[in-house]
C-alpha cells in the first residue's frame, strides 16, 4: 500500500470518528431519582425531568432507581414517557426494581444494576399484598411483554416477572414469580453490566462527567407530594365537609366557611397539578355544594336536591383522587376507586361527628370568640327560642339584619331567626311570615 492510500485511510477514519468523539465529550446527561413508591409524585417528577432534559438538549437520561413498586397506572405513564422519548434512556437499579419498578426498568434502552440488586416480582397486588384476580395479571403481563419486545428483550422473561405459570428452562421453575439478581439479569440479557454507582455508568458509556446535570427537587414538589398523600387528603376532606356543616349550623360566622374554602383549594390544587383532578371533577364537586345549599336554604326539607348534592360531592372528591378518563378506569381498576370512596365517606362522617361533639365547646373558647362577631342574645332584648315562635304565620315585620338568606326579623317587637324565600334581603326590608316548619321561620318580601 502506497503512502497516499495510507494518508487517505487516516483522514477518512478521523473524519468518521472525530465528530462522534466530539459529541461524546459535549453531550449532556440528565440524572434523576425514582426512590419512592411509584405514584402521583414520581410521575410528576418524571414528567418534569424529561421536560427539563429536552429543554437543556440532553442526549441521555439516567434514572437511578430503588423502589418496591407502586401504582400500575402511574408506572404505565412513566413507561410510556420513556418509550416515547427520543433521548437515550439508562436505568441504574440501586438495590430494588420490583413490580412497577421492573416495568419502568425494561422500558429503558439499557439497564445497569448494583451488585446484589434485584429486578422482577411484578404481580399486581392490593394494599395488603394479596394477588389480584386474573384480569389485572393479564393486563400487567401484556404491558411487560409489549415493553420487552419494544426494547428487543425476551418477552418470556418479562412475562415470568408477573405469571408464576411461566416456566423458563434454567431460569425460572413453574409456580414461582421470577426475580433476577444482577448476575442472573446479565446472563439472560436483561442487564448491561454491574455498576457500583452512576459514575461507573458514565465511564462504561463513554460519557463525560462534566456534562452531568442532576434533577433538583423543589420545595413546591415536596409540598405537593405531601398534600396528595391519602392521609393528608382525608384530613383536608374532613375540613372541607366539617367547615360546610359548621357554617350551615351557624350561618354568618364565616370562619368555618373560610376553613372549608382553604381546605378545598389545598385538596384540589395539587391533584390538578398532578393531572389527577380534571375540570369536570372539580365542577362536579361544586355542583354538589350548590345543590346542598339549595336544599338547606331555598328548598325546605331534605329531598332530591340534597341527595344529589351529597352524591356529587362524594363523586367529585373521590374521582379527583384516582386517574381516569371520564369514568374509564381501565388502567386504575376498581381497587383504587373503592379506596378513594372509602376515604371520602369516612372523612365526611368523621367531620360531622367531630362538628357535633366539639361544635359547642369550640364556639365558647376565647380564641374562637375573638374570630367572630358575637352578641349576647338575651330575652330582655327581644330574643326568644324557636319554641316560642308559634302562631306568627301571616304576621308582618321587617328584616332586623341583612338576610343572606338567613338572618333576624322583628315582629311586634320580638326578634326571630328566619330564612328569606326571596334570597338576599337588606336590613329594614318589610317582610311577612309565609310559613313555619318545626323551628324554621320562612318569610317573603312585602310588595307595596
Amino acid at each position: 500500500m502506497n503512502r497516499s492510500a495510507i494518508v487517505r485511510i487516516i483522514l477518512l477514519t478521523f473524519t468518521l470518528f472525530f465528530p462522534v468523539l466530539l459529541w461524546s465529550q459535549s453531550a449532556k446527561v440528565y440524572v434523576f431519582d425514582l426512590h419512592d413508591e411509584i405514584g402521583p409524585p414520581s410521575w410528576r417528577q418524571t414528567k418534569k425531568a424529561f421536560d427539563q432534559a429536552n429543554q437543556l438538549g440532553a442526549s441521555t437520561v439516567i434514572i437511578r432507581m430503588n423502589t418496591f413498586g407502586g401504582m400500575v397506572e402511574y408506572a404505565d405513564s412513566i413507561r410510556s414517557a420513556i418509550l416515547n422519548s427520543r433521548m437515550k434512556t439508562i436505568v441504574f437499579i440501586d438495590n430494588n426494581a420490583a413490580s412497577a419498578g421492573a416495568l419502568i426498568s425494561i422500558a429503558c434502552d439499557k439497564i445497569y444494576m448494583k451488585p446484589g440488586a434485584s429486578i422482577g416480582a411484578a404481580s399486581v397486588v392490593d394494599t395488603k399484598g394479596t394477588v389480584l384476580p386474573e384480569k389485572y395479571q393479564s393486563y400487567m403481563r401484556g404491558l411487560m411483554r409489549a415493553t420487552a419486545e419494544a426494547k428487543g428483550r425476551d418477552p418470556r422473561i418479562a412475562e415470568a416477572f408477573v405469571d408464576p405459570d411461566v416456566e423458563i428452562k434454567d431460569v425460572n421453575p413453574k409456580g414461582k414469580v421470577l426475580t433476577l439478581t444482577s448476575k442472573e439479569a446479565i446472563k439472560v440479557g436483561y442487564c448491561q453490566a454491574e455498576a457500583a454507582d452512576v459514575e461507573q455508568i458514565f465511564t462504561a458509556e463513554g460519557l463525560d462527567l462534566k456534562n452531568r446535570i442532576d434533577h433538583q427537587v423543589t420545595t413546591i414538589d415536596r409540598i405537593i407530594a405531601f398534600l396528595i398523600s391519602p392521609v393528608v387528603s382525608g384530613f383536608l376532606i374532613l375540613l372541607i365537609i366539617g367547615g360546610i356543616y359548621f357554617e350551615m349550623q351557624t350561618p354568618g360566622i364565616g370562619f368555618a366557611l373560610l376553613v372549608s374554602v382553604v381546605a378545598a383549594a389545598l385538596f384540589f390544587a395539587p391533584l390538578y397539578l398532578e393531572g389527577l383532578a380534571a375540570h369536570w371533577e372539580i365542577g362536579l364537586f361544586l355542583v354538589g355544594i350548590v345543590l346542598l345549599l339549595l336544599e338547606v336554604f331555598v328548598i325546605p326539607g331534605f329531598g332530591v336536591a340534597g341527595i344529589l348534592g351529597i352524591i356529587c360531592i362524594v363523586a367529585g372528591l373521590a374521582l379527583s383522587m384516582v386517574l381516569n378518563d371520564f369514568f374509564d378506569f381501565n388502567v386504575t381498576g376498581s381497587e383504587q376507586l373503592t379506596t378513594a370512596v372509602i376515604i371520602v365517606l369516612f372523612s365526611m362522617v368523621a367531620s360531622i361527628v367531630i362538628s357535633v361533639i366539639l361544635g359547642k365547646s369550640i364556639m365558647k373558647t376565647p380564641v374562637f370568640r375573638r374570630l367572630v362577631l358575637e352578641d349576647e342574645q338575651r330575652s330582655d332584648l327581644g330574643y326568644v327560642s324557636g319554641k316560642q315562635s308559634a302562631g306568627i304565620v301571616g304576621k308582618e315585620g321587617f328584616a332586623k339584619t341583612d338576610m343572606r338568606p338567613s338572618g333576624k326579623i322583628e315582629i311586634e317587637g320580638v326578634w326571630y331567626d328566619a330564612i328569606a324565600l326571596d334570597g338576599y334581603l337588606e336590613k329594614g326590608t318589610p317582610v311577612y311570615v309565609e310559613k313555619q316548619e318545626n323551628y324554621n321561620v320562612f318569610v317573603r318580601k312585602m310588595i307595596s
Side-chain angles (χ1 to χ4, degrees):
M1 183 179 297
N2 58 38
R3 184 178 298 177
S4 61
I6 295 174
V7 171
R8 282 198 298 270
I9 292 172
I10 293 173
L11 289 174
L12 179 62
T13 303
F14 182 80
T15 303
L16 290 174
F17 290 100
F18 180 74
V20 175
L21 179 63
L22 186 64
W23 174 85
S24 66
Q25 294 297 312
S26 62
K28 295 178 180 178
V29 182
Y30 199 90
V31 182
F32 75 98
D33 297 338
L34 282 180
H35 282 175
D36 299 316
E37 179 179 330
I38 304 302
S42 55
W43 167 226
R44 183 172 185 271
Q45 179 177 310
T46 300
K47 284 191 296 183
K48 286 190 64 177
F50 272 83
D51 288 343
Q52 290 179 10
N54 274 315
Q55 292 172 7
L56 294 170
S59 62
T60 305
V61 173
I62 297 179
I63 303 171
R64 184 166 44 207
M65 177 179 290
N66 184 16
T67 180
F68 288 103
M71 301 167 72
V72 176
E73 60 268 37
Y74 296 102
D76 183 38
S77 298
I78 296 173
R79 173 197 83 112
S80 299
I82 294 172
L83 291 177
N84 295 329
S85 174
R86 295 181 180 180
M87 295 175 289
K88 182 179 180 180
T89 52
I90 301 172
V91 63
F92 170 52
I93 301 176
D94 188 4
N95 289 330
N96 298 296
S99 192
L103 175 63
I104 296 169
S105 295
I106 64 176
C108 294
D109 296 312
K110 291 186 177 181
I111 299 174
Y112 285 84
M113 298 175 69
K114 191 174 185 177
S118 61
I119 179 174
S123 297
V124 186
V125 298
D126 59 18
T127 53
K128 297 179 180 178
T130 304
V131 177
L132 292 178
E134 169 59 22
K135 67 175 183 178
Y136 298 99
Q137 310 308 327
S138 175
Y139 183 79
M140 189 63 170
R141 281 199 304 269
L143 279 180
M144 297 291 284
R145 202 166 49 241
T147 307
E149 290 173 352
K151 293 299 179 179
R153 297 188 174 99
D154 186 351
R156 290 281 291 170
I157 297 290
E159 194 172 8
F161 286 156
V162 181
D163 193 347
D165 292 330
V166 177
E167 182 178 5
I168 303 174
K169 186 178 179 181
D170 299 328
V171 176
N172 188 57
K174 189 173 183 179
K176 300 288 185 180
V177 174
L178 179 60
T179 298
L180 297 173
T181 65
S182 56
K183 287 183 171 52
E184 291 170 340
I186 293 171
K187 185 178 179 180
V188 299
Y190 263 64
C191 177
Q192 194 77 13
E194 289 184 334
D197 48 38
V198 171
E199 287 72 17
Q200 285 193 6
I201 297 176
F202 272 76
T203 302
E205 293 292 320
L207 301 171
D208 192 344
L209 277 170
K210 294 179 181 178
N211 297 320
R212 173 174 176 170
I213 303 171
D214 286 288
H215 178 73
Q216 301 298 320
V217 180
T218 65
T219 302
I220 293 177
D221 293 330
R222 293 189 179 92
I223 292 173
I224 290 176
F226 172 75
L227 289 175
I228 64 176
S229 66
V231 174
V232 177
S233 293
F235 179 71
L236 291 174
I237 293 172
L238 188 148
L239 292 179
I240 293 169
I241 304 304
I244 294 172
Y245 178 82
F246 201 83
E247 183 67 25
M248 290 191 300
Q249 295 300 309
T250 54
I253 288 179
F255 175 74
L257 183 61
L258 178 62
V259 170
S260 182
V261 171
V262 172
L266 292 174
F267 176 82
F268 283 110
L271 293 174
Y272 181 79
L273 292 174
E274 293 291 342
L276 285 173
H279 292 95
W280 67 271
E281 292 165 335
I282 299 174
L284 190 63
F285 169 78
L286 294 176
V287 168
I289 296 295
V290 171
L291 288 173
L292 201 59
L293 293 176
L294 287 174
E295 183 69 35
V296 173
F297 295 112
V298 180
I299 309 171
F302 191 84
V304 177
I307 294 173
L308 287 176
I310 292 174
I311 293 174
C312 288
I313 290 172
V314 173
L317 292 170
L319 291 172
S320 295
M321 297 172 68
V322 297
L323 190 65
N324 71 93
D325 184 12
F326 204 76
F327 295 103
D328 180 4
F329 303 99
N330 185 47
V331 176
T332 303
S334 58
E335 179 77 15
Q336 299 295 332
L337 179 60
T338 301
T339 301
V341 172
I342 291 173
I343 290 174
V344 173
L345 291 177
F346 176 82
S347 300
M348 290 181 72
V349 173
S351 66
I352 294 173
V353 171
I354 292 173
S355 296
V356 171
I357 295 174
L358 301 179
K360 292 182 179 180
S361 59
I362 290 175
M363 291 182 67
K364 293 178 181 179
T365 60
V367 174
F368 190 85
R369 288 184 177 183
R370 284 196 294 267
L371 293 172
V372 299
L373 180 62
E374 184 182 62
D375 290 317
E376 187 179 358
Q377 299 177 341
R378 302 189 339 237
S379 59
D380 59 339
L381 295 178
Y383 287 95
V384 295
S385 68
K387 294 183 179 180
Q388 295 174 301
S389 60
I392 62 172
V393 175
K395 290 189 176 183
E396 300 176 0
F398 64 92
K400 191 68 177 177
T401 64
D402 288 341
M403 306 190 72
R404 305 174 182 272
S406 61
K408 306 291 183 183
I409 63 170
E410 182 176 329
I411 297 176
E412 299 176 351
V414 180
W415 288 25
Y416 299 92
D417 292 315
I419 298 173
L421 295 173
D422 299 300
Y424 174 76
L425 294 179
E426 291 184 355
K427 179 180 178 180
T429 302
V431 297
Y432 69 92
V433 179
E434 180 170 296
K435 60 181 177 178
Q436 180 185 2
E437 293 182 359
N438 297 324
Y439 301 137
N440 296 320
V441 176
F442 298 90
V443 300
R444 285 194 183 277
K445 179 180 178 180
M446 289 181 62
I447 301 175
S448 56

